[in-house]
Amino acid sequence: MVRLARSASAVVAVAGLVIASAPAAATAAAGKPGADGLTVVATGLDNPRGLAVTPRGVVLVAEAGRGGQGPCIVGGQDQTFCLGATGAITAIQGHDQKRVVTGLPSLGTTNQSEVLGPHDIALTAAGPLVTIGLGTDPARRAQLGPAGVLIGQTVRLGPAGARAFADLAGYEAANNPDGDQPGSGPDSNPYGLLPYRDGAVVTDAGGNDLLRLDRHGRISTLAVFPTTPAPNPFGGPDLPMQFVPTTVATGPDGAFYVGQLTGFPFPVGGAKVWRVVPGQAPTVAADGFTNIADIAFDRKGRLLVLEIFASGLLSGDPTGALIRVERDGSRTELARSGLVTPTGVAVAGDGTIYLANKGTLVGHGEVLRLRVRD
């Protein structure tokens, strides 16, 4: 059962979701200085992913969880993923952190090397929304039974818990918008989430598309991203590389900006940030990045790009990087040392940058604070 925490102390109502900040006796955020000016503000998280910051400065982080005992399905790379109610939302305020939503669905491999679950959170006019990952053919979801009904969906949080809002996996099964691309059978993995008008915009990392959700959860396609050839690292002909959109943000010009992880072979420097205007073909806004996990814009309208593996997913080096694209197109590396598979970035109203760190680890995930001079 999905549960929302309630506390007698410091209850903050955010877009219809009751968020209780932790009392003094609850888990305290670490508040430890780190490398490159990074400060740890939350610890002990299970695969932290996307972040949102409320107008009052409460940081919300989606925890993908740690999977569970099953039922199980076959997912990406023919791995077995087992279901558990271990996904969560944690709130961080000042020196306190607390899981304010628990019991969300999570899919994990038996050794927890890969976990899919709550991937992002956004505070929208339709209410607080969370994307729940799947990472395989939507037809397999039925094997999870009633406990897996929210897998592959965007869910809405409210006082009664989590409810289905938009079935992205179902939409992929029915429409498969990138179906004319090489190797693009039905595959859905809801990921990045952005408030937009009366609803939201979401990236389907498996479906290689950008989708619009209206206030009633009705889905429409905004953009489809192509499969492109990439050099084979083992020699031989080029390989068809999936786009894998992980994140979407609104730019200062009102356009959507989409960051791509890229699929195998995950080429170093092969990830791009794309600019999307509805009704027009996507164009490249910035390139030369490696395995983008998230993007955001700072309060001066500069693009922030978070790389989950700065040396590439095949390098074995889990060090990430946060890069700022300046107005003249030059680039400033804001952080690298201390970033270990970072997965989320968000900017608070005062300009403070928050990062989800160790985002592929169970029990060791963090949220970091980074203050930079403008």
Side-chain angles (χ1 to χ4, degrees), residues 15 123-129 156-157 165 197-200 213-217:
L123 304 177
T124 78
L129 301 180
R156 177 162 49 193
L157 303 178
F165 179 72
R197 296 183 178 175
D198 60 350
L213 315 181
D214 72 10
R215 63 181 299 179
H216 301 293

Side-chain angles (χ1 to χ4, degrees), residues 7-365:
S7 172
S9 64
V11 175
V12 183
V14 181
L17 171 64
V18 176
I19 294 177
S21 62
T27 304
K32 298 182 295 184
D36 288 358
L38 297 168
T39 299
V40 180
V41 297
T43 59
L45 305 175
D46 291 338
N47 288 283
R49 303 289 164 85
L51 302 164
V53 185
T54 76
R56 296 187 181 184
V58 179
V59 181
L60 305 175
V61 55
E63 295 182 73
R66 53 178 66 200
Q69 298 301 308
C72 305
I73 59 173
V74 174
Q77 299 178 346
D78 294 327
Q79 297 184 93
T80 298
F81 288 78
C82 296
L83 180 67
T86 57
I89 304 297
T90 283
I92 304 146
Q93 187 173 30
H95 297 292
D96 298 325
Q97 71 178 78
K98 185 178 181 66
R99 283 193 174 114
V100 293
V101 181
T102 57
L104 294 171
S106 171
L107 288 171
T109 55
T110 54
N111 63 359
Q112 299 176 329
S113 61
E114 185 172 352
V115 177
L116 309 168
H119 284 155
D120 206 357
I121 180 169
L123 304 177
T124 78
L129 301 180
V130 177
T131 48
I132 309 292
L134 172 60
T136 191
D137 186 334
R140 293 173 173 168
R141 180 173 59 178
Q143 299 170 25
L144 297 171
V149 68
L150 296 182
I151 290 287
Q153 300 214 41
T154 296
V155 302
R156 177 162 49 193
L157 303 178
R163 297 290 183 269
F165 179 72
D167 187 357
L168 277 72
Y171 184 83
E172 169 72 7
N175 298 278
N176 192 19
D178 72 334
D180 60 346
Q181 301 290 332
S184 295
D187 189 327
S188 183
N189 192 21
Y191 219 93
L193 189 60
L194 172 71
Y196 180 66
R197 296 183 178 175
D198 60 350
V201 170
V202 61
T203 63
D204 190 328
N208 296 312
D209 49 34
L210 183 69
L211 304 173
R212 163 88 162 99
L213 315 181
D214 72 10
R215 63 181 299 179
H216 301 293
R218 292 174 297 208
I219 307 170
S220 57
T221 302
L222 289 174
V224 178
F225 301 102
T227 295
T228 55
N232 188 331
F234 308 109
D238 287 351
L239 300 173
M241 183 181 73
Q242 299 285 309
F243 186 94
V244 192
T246 48
T247 171
V248 57
T250 302
D253 58 355
F256 299 122
Y257 287 78
V258 176
Q260 65 174 133
L261 180 76
T262 75
F264 182 84
F266 314 112
V268 174
K272 301 176 176 66
V273 177
W274 293 71
R275 182 177 183 269
V276 177
V277 175
Q280 301 179 21
T283 58
V284 176
D287 60 10
F289 299 103
T290 301
N291 304 138
I292 297 172
D294 203 2
I295 63 172
F297 286 88
D298 69 11
R299 58 180 178 175
K300 289 192 173 182
R302 295 169 296 188
L303 176 65
L304 304 176
V305 178
L306 183 66
E307 298 176 329
I308 184 171
F309 281 78
S311 298
L313 276 163
L314 299 182
S315 70
D317 179 359
T319 304
L322 179 65
I323 300 162
R324 185 175 67 201
V325 180
E326 308 295 347
R327 292 176 178 173
D328 63 1
S330 62
R331 298 177 185 189
T332 303
E333 187 175 278
L334 299 180
R336 178 181 291 257
S337 177
L339 294 185
V340 177
T341 58
T343 44
V345 58
V347 182
D350 65 357
T352 302
I353 298 170
Y354 291 93
L355 299 161
N357 196 42
K358 301 179 182 177
T360 60
L361 298 177
V362 169
H364 297 283

